[in-house]
Amino acid sequence: MRVRIRDFIETVEGLYFAVNTYYYPEDRFFAFLRYVPYEFVDFEVDKNNIREINGKKYVKMAETHKAYKFLKEKFDKYLFYDETINVLMHAIPKEDVKRILSPKERLKEIVNEENNLNELEEKCRKLALILEDYGVPIKSMGVSGSLLLKLNNKNSDIDFVIYGKDMHKKGREALKQAFEDNKLKPLSDNFWKIAYEKRIKDGTLTYEEFVFYEKRKFNRGTIDNTMFDLLFTREWEEINEKYGDRRYRNLGFIKIEGRVLNDDFAFDNPAVYKIECYNDEDIKEVVSFTHTYAGQCFNGEEIIARGKLEEVINKNGERYKRVVVGTTREAFNEYIKIKR
């Protein structure tokens, strides 16, 4: 068994977790709780977060603190303190894995099924074929989120995945061209407002700032009035570390300024920006664990970032520092901005 980011794991109890790292211990997978069967829920639920498949209801766990609270009270075996980063993580012991759901396999199923698709599946298929027309092969694509689990509803977006650093870049270039050719459409003001309310919970970015950064990423659009993201996942050969190769020590919070030296994995999770830091030459990178700040800045740009300062200790004893943005999904008072 092996997993990577954008895969989902179903446990023996029917809980669904989204895999959120490429590296994990030998006996378990790191993944964040996303959907739980309705019968396990004893708190008030927003009706928009209730999904159904084959007559069975599920609840989407949309908030970080509620997901942790739920596991602590009902399934604490899925909480694991990761000593390499000194953080309590969601993790599934391998013996509790019922199945692994692959975005590539799910998209292949949708593309090959011309009939009996629901409305969102039809739009997903159409999106895949448009991107294929612009040179992105189907084998480098996938679909994650609610469509992967068949738990989508009328409000669902399409979490479209493109595998590989070079192919994801090609996908964003294809999207830009598809906008110009009117094959796909950029987000309308209404969609941008929905995205802003979903992503920014504390006013760290103003609406105008958020839209400025998002529009230049070319990783979002609409197809037949449904929003989609072009998400990035590494190909297997791009995953070149093992769990435990690095350890991390929390040094508190910090605000820094610097210049981006390498943005190769700016759309990954975490997004990685190699930097020259003006405050401390030992700070070598800024990483973001929240999608909001993926693709936020590019090579040569000067940035301001606020997040958790960590010391990184490699297995050979080498040390450097990094700034982590997105210590929670909501990233309260944590950000990456261009210096202007």
Side-chain angles (χ1 to χ4, degrees):
M1 286 194 294
R2 62 177 182 171
V3 299
R4 54 184 164 175
I5 287 169
R6 318 295 178 201
D7 290 352
F8 268 71
I9 294 172
E10 182 184 6
T11 70
V12 291
E13 302 89 357
L15 309 180
Y16 286 112
F17 288 76
V19 176
N20 57 4
T21 178
Y22 300 107
Y23 315 111
Y24 40 83
E26 289 186 4
D27 63 340
R28 69 192 68 226
F29 297 123
F30 290 130
F32 196 84
L33 181 65
R34 296 300 286 152
Y35 293 90
V36 303
Y38 190 80
E39 64 261 28
F40 293 133
V41 174
D42 55 11
F43 52 84
E44 188 175 344
V45 176
D46 184 329
K47 65 180 182 179
N48 291 324
N49 288 331
I50 297 176
R51 309 293 172 87
E52 188 171 336
I53 181 173
N54 298 329
K56 184 170 183 176
K57 290 183 178 179
Y58 290 82
V59 174
K60 182 178 181 180
M61 303 297 286
E63 298 176 64
T64 302
H65 73 278
K66 283 187 178 179
Y68 272 96
K69 185 173 185 288
F70 175 85
L71 289 180
K72 184 177 181 181
E73 292 177 354
K74 298 186 183 296
F75 295 99
D76 63 355
K77 67 178 177 178
Y78 295 134
L79 292 173
F80 174 80
Y81 191 80
D82 182 5
E83 293 185 350
T84 69
I85 57 174
N86 296 309
V87 172
L88 186 66
M89 300 279 284
H90 297 193
I92 304 103
K94 288 186 176 179
E95 63 265 24
D96 291 299
V97 174
K98 182 177 180 181
R99 60 178 177 143
I100 295 167
L101 294 94
S102 162
K104 278 193 177 187
E105 293 304 313
R106 176 69 173 120
L107 183 66
K108 192 187 303 181
E109 177 183 290
I110 290 171
V111 170
N112 291 337
E113 177 63 71
E114 294 187 35
N115 303 308
N116 303 317
L117 295 177
N118 64 38
E119 185 178 354
L120 195 66
E121 290 169 338
E122 287 177 354
K123 292 177 183 180
C124 180
R125 184 176 187 274
K126 181 178 176 182
L127 174 59
L129 296 177
I130 289 172
L131 292 173
E132 184 184 37
D133 286 342
Y134 286 98
V136 183
I138 296 291
K139 67 179 183 179
S140 295
M141 306 178 195
V143 64
S144 192
S146 59
L147 255 180
L148 172 59
L149 308 179
K150 302 182 182 180
L151 286 174
N152 51 284
N153 64 15
K154 61 183 177 64
N155 298 315
S156 295
D157 302 332
I158 299 173
D159 293 332
F160 204 84
V161 186
I162 298 181
Y163 291 85
K165 171 173 63 73
D166 295 337
M167 203 55 66
H168 186 266
K169 183 179 181 181
K170 189 168 188 175
R172 291 188 295 111
E173 292 169 351
L175 183 57
K176 183 178 181 180
Q177 188 63 50
F179 287 164
E180 293 176 6
D181 295 342
N182 206 30
K183 298 285 184 69
L184 298 166
K185 294 186 181 298
L187 269 62
S188 65
D189 288 342
N190 186 51
F191 274 119
W192 282 126
K193 287 172 183 172
I194 292 170
Y196 178 74
E197 289 172 4
K198 180 179 178 181
R199 285 285 166 187
I200 306 300
K201 302 297 184 182
D202 63 351
T204 299
L205 293 179
T206 65
Y207 173 70
E208 289 74 19
E209 285 179 314
F210 175 79
V211 172
F212 164 77
Y213 287 111
E214 292 298 310
K215 279 187 174 180
R216 68 194 208 129
K217 296 178 184 180
F218 289 102
N219 67 335
R220 277 185 171 168
T222 62
I223 182 162
D224 299 336
N225 210 37
T226 290
M227 188 159 56
F228 63 84
D229 281 315
L230 297 186
L231 303 170
F232 170 80
T233 294
R234 296 189 187 205
E235 283 287 14
W236 292 115
E237 60 268 20
E238 294 174 325
I239 303 170
N240 47 27
E241 287 184 37
K242 293 182 179 179
Y243 175 76
D245 281 356
R246 304 186 195 185
R247 298 178 65 84
Y248 304 89
R249 188 165 67 92
N250 184 359
L251 300 176
F253 275 77
I254 192 172
K255 180 179 176 181
I256 65 155
E257 295 185 8
R259 183 170 63 90
V260 178
L261 302 177
N262 185 297
D263 63 7
D264 282 354
F265 292 96
F267 287 89
D268 200 4
N269 184 25
V272 179
Y273 307 93
K274 303 291 185 183
I275 68 162
E276 171 194 0
C277 181
Y278 301 157
N279 309 74
D280 182 345
E281 64 180 14
D282 290 336
I283 298 175
K284 302 296 186 184
E285 63 185 18
V286 175
V287 303
S288 173
F289 284 91
T290 176
H291 186 52
T292 304
Y293 297 105
Q296 191 77 347
C297 49
F298 301 105
N299 286 342
E301 292 183 335
E302 291 190 308
I303 63 167
I304 301 170
R306 186 182 190 281
K308 181 172 71 170
L309 180 64
E310 291 184 335
E311 182 180 45
V312 183
I313 305 144
N314 289 330
K315 61 181 179 180
N316 60 7
E318 293 178 355
R319 297 169 183 252
Y320 66 93
K321 296 174 187 174
R322 71 177 188 174
V323 177
V324 178
V325 176
T327 53
T328 64
R329 180 180 173 84
E330 296 80 10
F332 295 115
N333 200 23
E334 301 171 17
Y335 53 80
I336 302 169
K337 299 182 182 183
I338 297 171
K339 187 178 177 182
R340 293 194 265 178

